[in-house]
């Protein structure tokens, strides 16, 4: 999606030559002052000292990062060991985001393929159908999912009434519930880029392969997938990155045992922990992780194009 | 650099004609969730011609953290529990008032007048008091429930179906009672034991949550739910077959107060509100809604029978409940570590 | 094609998966919609069909709270979307119509930065920033934070549209002695209308949707609709929340449909236009 709108040399004209800087200035000022500067401020905060019972003291300290990576025992006086707690939370978040991405891919790819192979008229209707739920408030979608999958919710009642199951399927407060929530939050991000790639795919290639006696599977894996790979990768990134820092799905669907990065950070600011430097450090680590993924992606893009 | 930024921001604020004027005729309350009926807010608003807004919190610690994070000066009153009033006093977060400023001051029951956390009531007036223990679904478990083992070493029937309040002070106080160690113990072995108790109990707990505490009991998602007495009574009223326990090892009692916050933007209205809540009729209306007990004289004629006679609000003579203590810094640091270990 | 025995566009199982996808997308929303018409006060039991909870939303005890939250949400979204749209139009003109200037490639990254930084990180950073400079959280902090993340959403359709309009029109206008400002106002801007409208609607709905950032930067006693709903839902899903959800759902669908048709209108007016950016 973003890649489509890279300024292309051909489309850049100069009707307003010389006005570029004054015209771009408001965007720079607002995003610079209210996003870039705050992120730098957050970096500074992650090196400050936590005050007893919340608040910060303007004194340099590595305590937040130390707490993240090292375990010094209950009384803080033991030799440092590796602290697995937060690494586990990050790992769980990565894992959950990856699982949600896979779920989106398994269901989103056939959907995108199906839509892209309709007639032009039907395509827009199908696309419209897939994107509509995305515009419904995320909070409301998450609540709806929670309502649906509760132990004694409509889904279980329907299944029990139909005699398919005798005991309710327990989904709420499990990993699966969080994955379903993330899937529901970000599915269109998977469908749209894949759709765009399939739409551009030249089916003459498939015909050529078929003429050369390639089976369906061979055609799919050897011809189609490599051609539309950029769309798939873009889709995966667009689902994976927001899933990593998601807050609502783990909070409302995950219960206590499925703490993810988003909840960990929130707890430091809105919850009882009140440890701002630690929350800032965790945010910095999350941000670095996301930027790493995006950089790898950008590098891979340029390598393929160049 | 900080100053420079401040300058830039205030310049910006001026150009944007920001939320400059503190409007008169306002009152901003920082309260527990589901702890003040809309009818009472409306009544106060109409009576004093004041626009009332309210934010809610779900634990004493969360309220303290939020206030310390730059929200001081935006709220007029808050409703912390006993030990938190103590802490807020220490932190210099409370304003004081004279008894003459509050005509209904004499309505405070004598037992709630000279309290340890605010001797003589210079910054606070009583709001409600009650206890913290747990309710058990009697369909799920039929045995003796009056022991803290139901939470910390639960029987098989309820394992994995326990909800615990997201409230550091109360959970660790109950844990200490179960172990028979004093609150805020400085003994290393005792603190280690407390940490181990929490870590061993955690696998049996399904969820952590205060605001969900009633709902999980009503919906049956939890068979045992740590809960406040009145909230438990409400869950029972909503149809859950639950019984509130008074464990033999002890339980927590608390008394919430309305405190006058320092730098309150609408101090006069704050005092009017505190005075309003000391009116027996209003205190009773609050009790009828929240199902705890008022600390105000003369509420009896206004109380509903169900609330006055609820088993949750009428504990047996033995055992007696304990207040949560405010721990000194070095113990609090260990408590924070235990809590973090628990929440991860 | 007719000679082929197999349709190469088809893969077995893709159609059922598509239906599964639509089912997963719509089932939760439809269920909530149905239950919002349930007369029972309990969410687990179905009683009978009624509009009781809709009445409750507008006239019940909590109605004033939700009404105030709705007004806040709408005014904030209006301000944020308007500001973001203006900034986005200027930025798009700079990026696509002003030739080369210093910092152009960095500008593209900057405009898209709010999309790349995880929402929770933006929320934390904004909270820290406002608190560090002593800026009291309130209504204004919400508006400022919203403008930031609305900019890329307004920019995408606007830039897509502008990219589709060749500059011959403006050049023709200038050849006829229009000033550059006149060429912009009288030629480019009217041609841009569909893109601007869908950019505005997009920003509006994104602002209306936001929970995480609002929850971090909102001041004492100020709620938007999502934060008010979140506060209520934490204690359990109530029937009145389902009624509110259904109403919001309808509003969102109307907005998307509007944005979609505005985009199509533009497509008809100008075949060159790419409307790919209109929906996403």
């Amino acid at each position: 999606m973003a890649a489509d709108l890279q300024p292309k040399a051909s489309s850049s004209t100069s009707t307003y030559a010389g006005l570029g800087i004054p015209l771009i200035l408001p965007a720079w000022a607002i995003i610079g002052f209210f996003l870039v500067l705050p992120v730098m401020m957050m970096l500074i905060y992650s090196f400050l000292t936590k005050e007893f019972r919340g608040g910060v003291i303007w004194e340099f300290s590595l305590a937040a990062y130390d707490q993240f990576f090292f375990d010094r025992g209950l009384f803080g006086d033991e030799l440092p060991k590796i602290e697995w707690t937060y690494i586990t939370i990050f790992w769980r978040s990565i894992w959950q985001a990856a699982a949600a991405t896979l779920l989106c891919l398994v269901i989103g790819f056939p959907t995108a393929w199906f839509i892209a192979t309709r007639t032009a008229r039907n395509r827009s209707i199908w696309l419209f159908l897939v994107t509509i739920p995305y515009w419904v408030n995320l909070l409301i979608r998450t609540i709806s999912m929670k309502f649906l999958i509760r132990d004694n919710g409509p889904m279980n009642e329907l299944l029990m009434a139909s005699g398919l199951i005798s005991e309710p399927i327990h989904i709420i407060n499990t990993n699966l519930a969080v994955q379903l929530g993330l899937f529901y939050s970000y599915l269109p991000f998977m469908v749209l880029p894949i759709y765009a790639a399939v739409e551009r795919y030249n089916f003459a290639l498939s015909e050529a392969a078929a003429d050369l006696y390639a089976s369906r599977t061979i055609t799919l894996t050897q011809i189609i997938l490599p051609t539309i790979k950029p769309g798939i990768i873009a889709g995966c990134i667009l689902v994976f990155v927001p899933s990593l820092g998601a807050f609502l799905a783990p909070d409302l669907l995950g219960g206590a045992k499925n703490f993810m990065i988003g909840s960990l950070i929130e707890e430091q600011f809105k919850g009882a922990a009140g440890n701002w430097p630690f929350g800032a450090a965790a945010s910095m680590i999350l941000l670095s992780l996301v930027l790493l993924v995006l950089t790898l992606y950008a590098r891979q893009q340029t390598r393929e194009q160049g | 650099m900080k100053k420079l930024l401040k300058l830039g921001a205030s310049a910006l604020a001026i150009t944007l004609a920001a939320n400059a004027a503190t409007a008169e005729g306002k009152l901003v309350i920082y309260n527990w969730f589901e702890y003040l009926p809309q009818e009472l807010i409306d009544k106060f608003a109409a009576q004093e011609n004041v626009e009332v807004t309210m934010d809610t919190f779900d634990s004493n610690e969360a309220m303290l953290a939020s206030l310390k994070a730059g929200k001081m000066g935006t709220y007029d009153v808050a409703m912390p529990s006993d030990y938190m009033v103590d802490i807020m006093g220490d932190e210099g977060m409370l304003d004081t008032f004279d008894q003459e400023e509050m005509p209904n001051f004499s309505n405070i029951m004598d037992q709630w007048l000279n309290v340890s956390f605010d001797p003589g009531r210079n910054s606070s007036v009583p709001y409600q008091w009650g206890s913290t223990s747990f309710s058990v679904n009697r369909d799920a478990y039929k045995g003796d429930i009056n022991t803290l083992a139901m939470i910390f070493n639960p029987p098989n029937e309820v394992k994995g179906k326990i909800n615990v309040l997201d409230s550091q002070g109360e959970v660790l106080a109950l844990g200490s009672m179960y172990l028979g160690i004093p609150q805020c113990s400085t003994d290393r072995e005792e603190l280690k034991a407390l940490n181990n108790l929490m870590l061993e109990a955690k696998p049996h707990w399904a969820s952590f949550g205060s605001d969900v505490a009633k709902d999980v009991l009503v919906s049956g998602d939890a068979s045992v739910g740590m809960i406040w007495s009145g909230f438990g009574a409400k869950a029972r009223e909503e149809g859950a077959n639950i019984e509130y326990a008074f464990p033999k090892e002890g339980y927590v009692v608390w008394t919430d107060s309305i405190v006058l916050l320092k730098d309150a933007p609408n101090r006069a209205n704050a005092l009017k509100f505190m005075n309003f809540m000391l009116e027996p009729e209003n205190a009773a209306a609050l009790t009828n809604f929240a199902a705890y007990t008022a600390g105000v004289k003369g509420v009896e004629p206004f109380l509903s029978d169900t609330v006055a006679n609820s088993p949750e609000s009428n504990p047996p003579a033995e055992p007696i409940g304990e207040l949560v203590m405010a721990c000194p810094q070095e113990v609090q640091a260990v408590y924070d570590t235990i809590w973090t270990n628990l929440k991860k | 094609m007719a000679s082929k025995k197999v349709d190469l566009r088809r893969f077995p199982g893709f159609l059922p998966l598509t239906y599964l996808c639509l089912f997963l997308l719509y089932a939760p929303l439809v269920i909530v919609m149905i239950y919002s018409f349930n007369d029972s006060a309990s969410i687990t039991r179905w009683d009978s069909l009624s509009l009781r909870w809709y009445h409750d939303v507008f006239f019940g005890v909590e109605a004033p709270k939700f009404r105030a939250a709705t007004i806040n949400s709408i005014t904030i979204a209006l301000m944020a979307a308007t500001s973001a749209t203006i900034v986005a139009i200027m930025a798009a003109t700079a990026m696509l119509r002003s030739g080369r200037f210093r910092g152009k490639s960095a500008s593209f990254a900057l405009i898209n930065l709010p999309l790349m930084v995880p929402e929770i990180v933006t929320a934390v950073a904004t909270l820290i920033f406002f608190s560090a400079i002593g800026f009291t959280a309130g209504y204004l902090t919400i508006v400022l934070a919203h403008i930031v993340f609305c900019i890329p959403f307004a920019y995408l359709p606007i830039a897509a549209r502008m990219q589709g309009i060749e500059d011959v029109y403006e050049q023709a206008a200038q050849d006829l002695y229009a000033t550059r400002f006149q060429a912009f106002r009288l030629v480019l801007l009217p041609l841009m209308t569909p893109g601007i409208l869908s950019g505005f609607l997009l920003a509006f709905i994104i602002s209306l949707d936001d929970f995480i950032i609002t929850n971090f930067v909102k001041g004492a006693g100020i709620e938007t609709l999502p934060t008010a709903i979140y506060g209520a839902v934490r204690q359990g899903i109530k029937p009145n929340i389902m009624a509110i959800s259904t109403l919001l759902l309808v509003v969102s669908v109307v907005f998307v449909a509007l944005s979609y048709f505005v985009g199509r209108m533009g497509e008809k007016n100008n075949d060159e236009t790419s409307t790919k950016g209109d929906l996403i």
Side-chain angles (χ1 to χ4, degrees):
Chain A
M1 144 182 104
D4 285 355
L5 294 168
Q6 287 279 5
K8 291 175 196 115
S10 59
S11 67
S12 175
T13 59
S14 356
T15 319
Y16 307 99
L19 290 179
I21 288 180
L23 282 173
I24 201 79
L25 204 64
W28 271 95
I30 291 176
I31 298 177
F33 198 77
F34 293 110
L35 184 61
V36 178
L37 202 58
V39 168
M40 293 193 308
M41 191 63 105
M42 184 175 79
L43 180 64
I44 297 174
Y45 258 65
S46 71
F47 291 105
L48 295 183
T49 309
K50 172 191 182 279
E51 201 184 328
F52 177 47
R53 290 182 178 135
V56 287
I57 307 167
W58 281 76
E59 252 169 50
F60 177 82
S61 156
L62 282 172
Y65 291 94
D66 185 87
Q67 182 186 342
F68 194 97
F69 291 109
F70 298 109
D71 173 12
R72 291 172 192 274
L74 196 52
F75 306 98
D77 53 3
E78 292 167 27
L79 281 176
K81 293 189 296 271
I82 297 287
E83 169 68 271
W84 290 105
T85 309
Y86 306 111
I87 297 172
T88 310
I89 291 175
F90 268 64
W91 176 243
R92 182 188 300 140
S93 302
I94 293 172
W95 192 83
Q96 290 276 54
T101 309
L102 192 69
L103 194 62
C104 282
L105 184 63
V106 167
I107 292 177
F109 177 75
T111 308
W113 179 275
F114 179 81
I115 296 173
T117 52
R118 296 306 94 188
T119 60
R121 204 187 145 72
N122 284 342
R123 256 182 251 167
S124 57
I125 296 170
W126 279 99
L127 269 185
F128 196 52
L129 275 177
V130 170
T131 35
I132 277 187
Y134 174 73
W135 298 115
V136 176
N137 197 300
L138 175 61
L139 177 60
I140 285 173
R141 273 180 291 151
T142 314
I143 295 168
S144 311
M145 185 58 91
K146 181 175 173 141
F147 179 68
L148 181 70
I149 63 175
R150 279 173 319 131
D151 283 359
N152 45 8
M155 183 193 72
N156 274 316
E157 279 189 357
L158 205 68
L159 287 174
M160 298 225 299
S162 68
L164 284 171
I165 50 168
S166 55
E167 283 275 298
I169 311 173
H170 179 69
I171 301 180
I172 194 83
N173 294 345
T174 65
N175 285 336
L176 181 63
V178 178
Q179 288 153 19
L180 272 176
L182 294 174
F183 161 82
Y184 201 20
S185 306
Y186 306 116
L187 177 76
F189 287 164
M190 182 65 86
V191 174
L192 291 174
I194 297 182
Y195 162 80
V198 177
E199 199 201 11
R200 270 182 240 133
Y201 174 71
N202 184 355
F203 278 92
L205 288 172
S206 291
E207 282 173 37
D211 288 344
L212 296 168
Y213 303 104
S215 68
R216 263 170 191 284
T217 326
I218 298 281
T219 316
L220 183 68
T221 53
Q222 304 287 319
I223 317 279
I224 299 173
L225 283 183
T227 326
I228 60 170
K229 198 173 94 186
I232 295 177
I233 294 177
C236 289
I237 299 246
L238 287 175
V239 173
F240 183 77
V241 166
S243 296
L244 205 54
F247 169 72
L248 282 175
D251 185 61
L252 290 172
L253 299 167
K257 291 193 175 152
N258 297 287
F259 225 51
M260 282 175 56
I261 306 176
S263 329
L264 175 73
I265 294 173
E266 201 254 9
E267 170 89 7
Q268 310 305 319
F269 292 91
K270 307 290 284 182
N275 192 342
W276 282 36
F278 181 71
S283 302
M284 277 319 295
I285 295 168
L286 170 63
L287 184 61
S288 320
L289 212 61
V290 167
L291 291 181
L292 182 76
V293 172
L294 291 176
T295 315
L296 287 177
Y297 171 63
R299 188 175 290 176
Q300 188 253 359
Q301 285 285 94
T302 43
R303 199 185 303 143
E304 287 201 350
Q305 279 163 9
Chain B
M1 164 150 153
K2 212 180 150 189
K3 261 189 189 147
L4 201 73
L5 286 171
K6 211 172 210 161
L7 207 71
S10 37
L12 196 92
I14 292 161
T15 36
L16 286 165
N19 42 356
T22 339
E24 269 181 343
K26 281 195 173 181
L27 176 71
V28 193
I29 304 171
Y30 200 21
N31 196 356
W32 292 82
F33 65 92
E34 213 178 318
Y35 206 20
L36 182 57
Q38 187 65 41
E39 290 85 353
L40 268 182
I41 298 179
D42 293 345
K43 184 179 172 189
F44 177 73
Q47 189 177 312
E48 302 291 343
N49 193 21
V50 161
E51 189 194 333
V52 182
T53 47
M54 181 166 76
D55 272 354
T56 58
F57 54 84
D58 62 5
S59 79
N60 281 304
E61 288 78 12
M63 178 215 56
L64 179 73
S66 158
L67 284 178
K68 286 201 78 173
K71 288 275 180 77
M72 282 303 286
T74 58
Y75 296 107
D76 298 303
V77 292
M79 281 76 159
S81 306
D82 35 76
Y83 73 103
M84 194 48 69
V85 178
D86 215 350
I87 290 172
M88 290 167 81
D90 283 352
E91 298 272 330
M93 297 163 84
L94 302 181
D95 197 0
T96 55
F97 55 83
D98 293 325
Q99 291 180 19
E100 297 84 68
E101 293 181 271
M102 207 171 294
N104 289 336
F105 191 85
S106 55
N107 289 350
I108 301 175
M109 286 167 89
D110 298 336
Q111 66 186 110
W112 299 117
L113 208 49
N114 248 319
V115 285
S116 58
F117 51 84
D118 184 13
R121 292 281 185 185
N122 295 314
S123 307
S124 68
V125 297
Y127 192 62
Q128 292 276 287
W129 64 272
S131 64
T132 311
S133 156
F134 54 88
S135 286
V136 180
N137 186 322
R138 281 319 220 157
D139 296 330
Y141 185 71
K142 305 237 173 349
D144 176 28
I145 62 166
N146 285 323
T147 164
L148 284 169
M150 292 299 293
I151 299 278
F152 297 108
N153 187 14
N156 287 330
E157 291 95 317
V158 302
K159 273 181 184 164
K161 298 211 82 173
I162 300 174
N163 178 61
V164 173
L165 291 178
D166 189 356
S167 168
Q168 194 198 61
E170 286 160 306
V171 173
L172 294 183
L174 287 176
S176 303
M177 290 173 201
Y178 179 65
L179 291 175
I181 60 176
Q183 285 189 52
C184 301
S185 164
T186 47
D187 184 287
R188 279 182 158 237
E189 290 312 311
E190 290 180 351
L191 284 168
K192 267 186 199 159
L194 185 60
N195 186 42
N196 289 338
L197 177 73
M198 295 296 155
L199 291 182
E200 280 161 24
K202 194 196 168 190
H204 306 312
W205 298 347
S207 51
F208 259 113
S210 300
D211 33 23
V212 299
K214 184 179 75 180
D215 191 55
V216 290
L217 284 170
V218 175
S219 70
D221 287 348
S223 300
V224 177
M226 189 184 285
I227 200 161
W228 302 294
S229 49
F231 213 32
K234 285 173 118 182
R236 185 172 46 76
E237 290 291 318
E238 285 181 24
N241 180 22
I242 52 170
E243 188 182 335
Y244 187 74
F246 290 100
K248 59 177 190 281
E249 299 90 347
Y251 55 93
V252 169
V253 288
W254 46 259
T255 163
D256 291 347
S257 302
I258 313 178
V259 296
L260 179 62
L261 290 170
K262 195 155 196 134
D263 306 325
N266 314 287
R267 188 176 184 275
N269 289 334
L271 290 173
K272 278 183 196 162
F273 177 73
M274 292 164 91
N275 192 54
F276 174 83
M277 290 312 297
L278 290 178
E279 200 73 57
E281 191 182 343
N282 300 332
L286 172 61
T287 296
N288 287 338
F289 170 81
Y292 301 103
T293 311
V296 173
K297 291 181 217 162
V299 293
E300 291 76 11
F302 305 104
L303 288 181
S304 78
D305 285 346
T306 33
V307 166
N309 301 323
S310 94
E312 285 83 358
S313 296
N314 293 287
E318 284 285 321
I320 45 170
E322 267 180 61
L323 288 172
V324 172
M325 280 167 62
C327 298
Q329 182 159 359
E330 62 277 12
V331 179
Q332 188 58 43
V334 181
Y335 269 33
D336 284 345
T337 311
I338 295 177
W339 192 244
T340 317
N341 287 341
L342 193 55
K343 290 286 294 282
K344 64 199 176 186
Chain C
M1 284 297 271
S3 66
K4 291 273 178 246
K5 280 194 195 111
V6 283
D7 183 354
L8 293 164
R9 290 160 188 264
R10 264 188 207 183
F11 281 89
F14 276 24
L15 182 64
L17 276 170
T18 308
Y19 283 130
L20 174 70
C21 177
L22 286 180
F23 175 77
L24 285 171
L25 285 178
Y26 282 92
L29 296 175
V30 171
I31 293 279
V32 162
M33 257 173 141
I34 294 173
Y35 271 78
S36 72
F37 295 103
N38 184 3
D39 191 55
S40 166
S42 141
I43 55 161
T44 33
R45 211 179 47 241
W46 177 268
D47 247 13
S48 60
L49 213 59
S50 98
L51 289 175
R52 174 181 168 191
W53 300 110
Y54 289 90
H55 186 270
D56 185 77
V57 167
F58 290 104
F59 308 106
V61 190
E62 288 184 297
K65 192 176 87 186
F66 284 116
R67 199 177 309 137
T70 309
I71 292 170
N72 279 341
S73 270
I74 291 175
T75 52
I76 288 169
L78 275 177
M79 281 192 263
T82 310
S83 318
T85 307
I86 294 170
V87 172
I89 295 171
M90 293 172 77
T93 315
M95 298 298 287
L96 299 169
R97 283 290 199 271
S98 306
R100 293 149 71 79
F101 58 90
R102 274 176 63 116
K104 188 166 174 175
S105 48
S107 300
F108 184 76
L110 188 89
I111 290 167
N112 283 299
L113 193 65
L115 293 179
M116 289 187 262
V117 178
E119 242 191 307
I120 187 100
V121 176
T122 310
V124 164
T126 316
L127 170 69
I128 286 179
F129 177 69
F130 283 133
S131 133
I133 62 176
F135 200 80
T136 312
Y139 187 85
L140 189 68
T141 47
I142 307 180
V143 178
L144 288 170
H146 279 217
I147 294 175
V148 174
F149 67 75
C150 281
I151 289 176
F153 285 98
Y155 179 83
L156 289 175
I158 290 174
R161 173 81 191 174
M162 199 182 278
Q163 216 161 20
I165 301 171
E166 286 183 64
D167 65 346
V168 287
Y169 303 107
E170 295 147 84
Q171 276 163 14
Q174 285 183 313
D175 290 344
L176 296 168
Y177 302 105
T179 63
R180 290 204 291 186
F181 181 68
Q182 283 171 324
F184 178 78
R185 194 170 62 90
L186 299 171
V187 178
L188 184 59
L189 220 48
L191 281 171
M192 291 284 303
T193 314
I196 292 172
L197 266 178
S198 59
F200 175 84
L201 288 176
L202 216 85
F204 185 84
I205 213 161
I206 289 290
S207 161
L208 219 53
D209 193 64
D210 180 74
F211 165 73
I212 297 179
I213 294 173
T214 313
N215 189 36
F216 270 73
V217 301
K218 76 190 173 84
I222 297 172
E223 299 273 13
T224 64
L225 208 44
T227 62
I229 294 176
Y230 179 81
V233 154
R234 286 285 292 158
Q235 292 163 53
I237 304 173
K238 305 248 164 47
N240 64 337
I241 294 298
M242 291 199 253
I244 293 180
S245 300
T246 308
L247 291 171
L248 261 180
L249 196 150
V250 172
V251 170
S252 311
V253 171
V254 168
F255 261 91
V256 184
L258 219 63
S259 163
Y260 179 76
F261 287 117
V262 165
R264 302 219 84 187
M265 208 170 69
E267 210 168 356
K268 273 186 204 134
N269 291 344
N270 184 350
D271 287 341
E272 305 255 308
T273 313
S274 135
T275 46
K276 205 168 284 156
D278 283 1
L279 268 178
I280 238 309

